[in-house]
Amino acid sequence: FNVPRLFEEKDNSFAHALLKIAPEDFRVPGILQFMLKIISEGGTIAIASNGKIRNVNLSLKHAGLADLIGQTEVAENLAEQKPKPFMLNKILKDNNASPHEAIFYGDNKADAQAAQAAGIDFCGITAAIPIDPDTTITQMKAYGAICVAHDFNDILRGKVKILSHAAKRDQPRPE
């Protein structure tokens, strides 16, 4: 999400600020279409966030994405936050999936480290990061990203090549 990072988690400032942002401006470009494509291929969408559950749920609802999410895990409800892989491992276990069947899309080093620790491929998304895009691409690659996209439209348009979730899911599991 293009969530302005200046809001404190106290009181209702996050909720009030959220109402000032149009849903289409709040979403990372292409995320709705991308999520619908994943679901149409038989995939599941899960969220692993270090944010507060209230803010994550408000964000998803405001962006019109809440009904597409199969599972949401947040650090405040679990033992550890990213970069530890606990949330990702829980999602895999709850969905009876192995790491090679998943791709984790994230926008920071903790996301990349959590994915790596869980054995999940990581794809960096730079649209939500308010810094120089070239530096971000370099950083994402240094974090071990299998791909780096500005937004989800880059993936949908084939500008960034990754193995489709359906193809990835259908690959034989390693012994």
Side-chain angles (χ1 to χ4, degrees), residues 2 21-28:
N2 288 324
I21 305 170
E24 61 275 7
D25 293 334
F26 182 66
R27 294 188 295 249
V28 172

Side-chain angles (χ1 to χ4, degrees), residues 9-22:
E9 308 259 343
K10 314 173 205 163
D11 60 48
N12 288 327
S13 60
F14 183 85
H16 291 302
L18 196 58
L19 295 175
K20 296 176 183 175
I21 305 170

Side-chain angles (χ1 to χ4, degrees), residues 139-155:
Q139 288 173 338
M140 290 291 185
K141 287 180 181 175
Y143 300 157
I146 62 164
C147 70
V148 180
H150 176 67
D151 58 35
F152 291 95
N153 284 328
D154 284 354
I155 297 168

Side-chain angles (χ1 to χ4, degrees), residues 27-102:
R27 294 188 295 249
V28 172
I31 194 167
L32 176 61
Q33 299 83 350
F34 184 76
M35 291 171 79
L36 291 170
K37 181 177 177 4
I38 296 303
I39 292 167
S40 75
E41 292 178 354
T44 300
I45 308 292
I47 302 287
S49 176
N50 285 345
K52 302 242 183 237
I53 188 66
R54 179 178 178 272
N55 292 349
V56 171
N57 287 338
L58 279 170
S59 298
L60 291 169
K61 184 176 179 183
H62 183 70
L65 303 173
D67 293 339
L68 301 177
I69 307 300
Q71 182 174 354
T72 301
E73 296 298 340
V74 294
E76 72 180 328
N77 294 341
L78 301 170
E80 300 173 340
Q81 64 183 156
K82 297 176 287 179
K84 304 239 177 173
F86 188 80
M87 282 186 272
L88 300 182
N89 288 331
K90 183 176 184 329
I91 290 168
L92 290 172
K93 182 180 178 189
D94 291 352
N95 288 280
N96 195 29
S98 66
H100 88 276
E101 294 175 287

Side-chain angles (χ1 to χ4, degrees), residues 6 29 42 49 67 79 127 130 142 145 160 163 171:
L6 48 109
S49 176
D67 293 339
V160 173
L163 193 59
Q171 286 184 343

